[in-house]
Structure formats: C-alpha cells, structure tokens
Amino acid sequence: MAAKSDGGGGPAVLLESPGGGGGGRREGSAAPPARRYRLRDGCWVLCALLVCFADGASDLWLAAHYYVRGQRWWFGLTLLFVLLPSLVVQLLSFRWFVYDFAAGSTKDSAGSTKDSARGPRGCCRLCVWALQGLIHLLQLGQVWRYLRTLYLGLQSRWQAEHRRRHFYWRMMFESADISMLRLLETFLKSAPQLVLQLSIMVQQNSIEPLQGFSASASLVSLAWMIASYQKVLRDSREDKLPMSYKGAVVQILWHLFTIAARAIAFALFASVFQLYFGIFIVTHWCIMTFWIIQGETDFCMSKWEEIIYNMVVGIIYIFCWFNVKEGRSRYRMCIYYIITLSENAALTILWFLYYDRKAISDFNALILVCVVSSSFALGIFFMFIYYCLLHPNGPIFSSSGGGCIFRQQPAPVPGSPVDAVTSPPRSLPRTTGGERDGAPGERDSCVPVFQVRPCAPPAPAARAPRTERPVIRIDLPRKKYPAWDAHFIDRRLRKTILALEYASPSTPRLQYRTPGAPQEVLEYETTV
C-alpha cells in the first residue's frame, strides 16, 4: 500500500508488507518507539504544566500590581512581554491544529464517505472547532497540549498492544509540539521578563516578594524548557540513547545558574546604560545568528523556514548554549562560554564603575558582583557533572575521547555469536612452492585434519519464529541529530504515517532514504 502526503511536492511514503521488495536500496532505519509510558513520565508532564502556569500567572499578577500602584511604565512593559509572545505562540499552535484537524476531515483513516461531515458528526466537529478556538483565544493552548500529552500517555499504558503503540506514537508527536512551542515562548517571554524585573529591582534597590516570585518563575521556566526539549528530542530518536531524569535535573541546574548569571549581568548593565544595552543585545544576536547560519543547520523542511529557525536560535544564544549541529559540539560550546564569560565580566565591571553610589552601597555592589561570578561558576560545575557522569552517551571529557572515567564495553547481543564473521575477506594469501611441497615425511606425521566421528548428530535446537514487521519507506534522507526527524516536523508526513501505522496489523518501522545508496550498490555489483 502506498500513500503520498497531502499537498504538492510532498515526500512519498510507502508501506511495504513483510518480505516485500526493495532489497537493493539501503536506508536509514527509524524504529517506532519501544519503551512504555511510565508514571514518572506523567509526573514530569505535570511538573512542566505547573512551571508553565506559575510563569504566566505570576507575570499577570505582577502587571496588575504595577497598575494598581500607578506604575504605568512598568505595567505596560510587563504586560507587553506577556501578551505579545503568547499571541505569537497561540497563533502557531492554532495553525497546527487547523492543519491537523482540517486535513483529517477530508479523509477518515477508516475510509469514511462524503456524507460523514453531515449530521451528528458534523455537529461534533463544529464543537471541536469552537472549543479549540476558545482555548487558544484564552491563551491556554499550551495547557491543553500538556493535558492531551498526559491523556495520550496514560492511554498508551492502559490500552491493548495494537492501540498502545498507536497512542504512544501520538503522545510522542504531541510532546514534540509542546516542547517546540514552549521553547519558543520562554525565550520570547520569560527571558526578557526576567531581565526587566531584575532591572527594576536594581533601580529600586529593593526586592518585593511578587517581583522575586515572577523572576524566579521565569528563570525556572527557561532552564526547565531547555532540559525538557533535549530530553524529548532524544526520546524521539532511537539512534540516540534517552536522557535519564537525573541527567535532566542536573541539566536544569546547569542552565539555571548560567542563565541567572547572564540575566543579572544584563540587568546591572541595563540599569545604567539603557541605550548601549539595546545596541549590545542586537549586535550579539546578529553575530550569533550569523555563526549559526554558517554552521549550515538542517532542521526545517525549507530554506526560509531554516533561516527563521536560525534567527530564533540566535535569540536563545543571547542567554544560554543550545546545540544545533552534531560534530565538534564541545569546541563550539567552549567558544560560546568563553565569549559569554568575557561579556558577563565586561558588563559587570562597567556597571561597577558607573553605578549610582547614592542608591547602592559599595558592600551591596560587591555582593552583586560575587553573585554573578559564583552563579556562572556553579553553572559550569553542573555542566561538567552532566557531561562527566550523566550524559546518555557516557562520559564525554577525556584526553582519549573516552570520558572522565573508562567507558564500559557494550555487552554482546544475546543469541548472536561473538566470533561471527561480518564480512568475507577480500583475498586469500598465496602459498609458495616450498610451503606446498613441505618437508619429507611431514605430511605423514601430522594429525588428520578431517575426522568422521561415529556419534549421532545432535538434535537441532528449536529456533524461535522470526517475526517480520511492515516497513514504512520515506523518500527523504534522514536528518542528523540534534534535528528532529522529518516525521516530527512535516505534519503531512506525520498524518500519513499515523494513518498507515493504524491500518497495519503489526508495529511498522520507518526507513529513510540514504543519498549514497545507489552508488554503493552499483560499485558493489561492478566489482563482483
């Protein structure tokens, strides 16, 4: 059965039955998710929902607090950094819903007729449209997606095997959507909100409880979403080991302290040099965006989407490190943190030289400088803890590339011989005439090589029946980590795969096209 994704120019998707053709082409395989949904996964989603709610509610509460006190300027900026990013993210989320739901209405996966959109079914679809429109109008699209992720995960735990894997697929797709949406929202809303509230605290030389709570919620939201995004990305790819929750917590602490040092340095500098702070932010963003574009990332399905993605990552690079390309990431990360350390030191020193001595005492100024330096040092410490002990691929930093400690050898796969020959030798060594003739009497004295033993042949061992699964072939090269797979980014491809997966009797596996496969096969056949 073959199906092509909706719209012109979409990638071809083919579902092959077990034992089908196509053996001459090698592809990158992407197996379906095999791990089960656990209770700790649900608790992680609930904690993420709590962080999201605390971040948004505290900002709105603080904006109302500024309005009641007559501080219209602070009220306007606080409300602007809440509503504008939220509107952008809600529009993107509703656009995704419109595409998924409208595309699903044209053709049901079970083969519905044209009259299926009439009667009670049409009324239900109208109610769904109205409900989703109201949810996104109230800026609750992310809350709805978190609850839907939790629902799909629990359904994958309670349903039968065939339904369980289908719900798990949908849960992974929903987790990818909410991770990308929340990552965009936090760096458009929480990051500038954090710098704004810290600047207000420095100018007022006091910290109100509501200001401290709002800044803390924004900081935790930033650190949480970086770690959560990386965890969901690794869980979605079977070619990468999943991140443990210990590693995710340590990564949260790593980003928490480094972003805190960065935000405090920004707030100190902005409290004295408002105009130069804006120039610095724009210059840093331009340099980082150009650096990312030079790296030739492969995240989106089109060139212009890739440029927009690079511009968004440039905003993330204002505050913290974010890996966008595989290979030599340690060197790029070291360069980034050297630049960040130099900028933090320069901004803090300039503030220390020109701050208002009447408003802030020298002792408090020294404390703020120590907070910036110690927070950055703590963040780097937790970064080393993560890479030396808790990285999914094992320890990273070492002189030989094996890590801080010795990496264990992988255990042999059960049931496979350890000394199996994986490839035939290219040529056999020729024997010379002396070796062929040998010494006189040498052949007579040696033990026979082949002997026939009179024992009965052993009974053949019972071999487990071989289970073959259908293959969904995608006519696209597979994207390299840390990019998402195409079936997570392209919603047409995702919808087609879900329909084919639901119709197949057993769990299919995905196979992407390898660009160099035809040349390799041709070379092998020519050599033979």
Side-chain angles (χ1 to χ4, degrees), residues 330-343:
R330 285 178 288 175
Y331 301 102
R332 296 196 303 269
M333 184 173 60
C334 290
I335 294 174
Y336 174 81
Y337 276 116
I338 290 174
I339 296 174
T340 302
L341 177 62
S342 304
E343 291 177 347

Side-chain angles (χ1 to χ4, degrees), residues 316-383:
I316 299 177
Y317 270 38
I318 296 175
F319 294 90
C320 68
W321 163 256
F322 187 77
N323 189 21
V324 293
K325 187 177 180 182
E326 191 175 22
R328 304 180 68 87
S329 59
R330 285 178 288 175
Y331 301 102
R332 296 196 303 269
M333 184 173 60
C334 290
I335 294 174
Y336 174 81
Y337 276 116
I338 290 174
I339 296 174
T340 302
L341 177 62
S342 304
E343 291 177 347
N344 291 350
L347 296 177
T348 307
I349 291 173
L350 287 174
W351 169 82
F352 187 78
L353 294 176
Y354 295 99
Y355 76 94
D356 189 3
R357 261 68 179 179
K358 298 179 181 179
I360 302 176
S361 63
D362 294 341
F363 179 74
N364 291 336
L366 286 174
I367 290 179
L368 290 175
V369 173
C370 293
V371 167
V372 173
S373 57
S374 61
S375 179
F376 187 82
L378 273 176
I380 298 300
F381 170 75
F382 281 111
M383 181 194 72

Side-chain angles (χ1 to χ4, degrees), residues 239-302:
D239 59 339
K240 293 293 179 180
L241 295 174
M243 183 188 299
S244 65
Y245 283 104
K246 293 180 182 179
V249 171
V250 173
Q251 194 173 118
I252 289 174
L253 295 175
W254 159 22
H255 293 295
L256 182 75
F257 287 106
T258 52
I259 294 175
R262 188 77 166 162
I264 295 174
F266 284 170
L268 295 177
F269 186 77
S271 63
V272 179
F273 307 98
Q274 289 85 4
L275 178 61
Y276 292 108
F277 175 71
I279 296 175
F280 165 77
I281 290 296
V282 173
T283 304
H284 181 88
W285 174 76
C286 292
I287 294 174
M288 290 294 134
T289 303
F290 179 76
W291 187 28
I292 296 167
I293 293 175
Q294 287 295 108
E296 298 180 354
T297 59
D298 185 19
F299 183 87
C300 301
M301 305 300 294
S302 66

Side-chain angles (χ1 to χ4, degrees), residues 101 105 108 112-131:
F101 198 68
S105 64
D108 198 328
S112 60
T113 61
K114 296 181 180 179
D115 298 332
S116 61
R118 304 173 184 174
R121 186 177 179 85
C123 295
C124 292
R125 300 190 69 85
L126 183 61
C127 292
V128 172
W129 276 97
L131 177 62

Side-chain angles (χ1 to χ4, degrees), residues 492-512:
R492 301 170 301 172
L493 186 59
R494 175 194 300 190
K495 176 173 59 65
T496 306
I497 287 175
L498 279 177
L500 294 177
E501 188 271 340
Y502 188 77
S504 62
S506 59
T507 306
R509 57 188 177 91
L510 305 180
Q511 283 192 349
Y512 284 87

Side-chain angles (χ1 to χ4, degrees), residues 4 7 16 87 104 113 127 182 210 225 336 348 368 413 433 458:
K4 193 171 183 179
E16 291 187 356
L87 286 174
T113 61
C127 292
R182 282 287 294 149
L210 190 55
M225 280 317 302
Y336 174 81
T348 307
L368 290 175
V413 180

Side-chain angles (χ1 to χ4, degrees), residues 414-432:
S416 62
V418 179
D419 298 328
V421 178
T422 57
S423 60
R426 293 184 178 270
S427 61
L428 295 177
R430 294 182 176 271
T431 56
T432 61

